[in-house]
Amino acid sequence: MPMSDEERRLLKELELGLIADDPHLAMELLSGYPTRRFPAGLFPGIAAALIGLVLVLAGAGIPAPGAVVLGILLLGLGACLLLGSTVLARSAGRQPTG
């Protein structure tokens, strides 16, 4: 069923209102390629840090120095992934100067 002229007019007004209110979202929707909402290393970084924290705490509770060392390494890896993803996300938003 084709749209009436009134429906087309209302749809055009909604589209123009969206472009005026949030041009970035409008460009994402029109291009068909939405940007990522979360940095790429966010979830693996959080998972590595949490597993590392559990290993450190478990290794400290029972005499297991290997678990503590592995936990510290995983905490470091998680921190690197988290910090690296936030640095990349910030630099991707900036335009190069010069």
Side-chain angles (χ1 to χ4, degrees):
M1 173 186 255
M3 293 186 346
S4 68
D5 290 336
E6 179 67 21
E7 290 170 331
R8 284 192 188 111
R9 185 186 63 77
L10 287 173
L11 185 62
K12 189 66 175 173
E13 285 179 16
L14 286 172
E15 183 181 342
L16 292 175
L18 174 65
I19 291 171
D21 289 343
D22 194 349
H24 181 61
L25 176 63
M27 288 296 114
E28 280 186 38
L29 293 174
L30 290 174
S31 71
Y33 297 104
T35 58
R36 298 182 82 150
R37 297 290 178 202
F38 297 106
L42 182 71
F43 296 116
I46 290 173
L50 286 177
I51 292 170
L53 182 64
V54 168
L55 282 173
V56 167
L57 294 176
I62 57 173
V68 173
V69 170
L70 183 62
I72 290 172
L73 290 174
L74 279 173
L75 275 170
L77 174 67
C80 287
L81 287 173
L82 286 172
L83 291 175
S85 64
T86 56
V87 168
L88 288 175
R90 286 183 186 163
S91 65
R94 293 184 183 153
Q95 296 295 327
T97 57

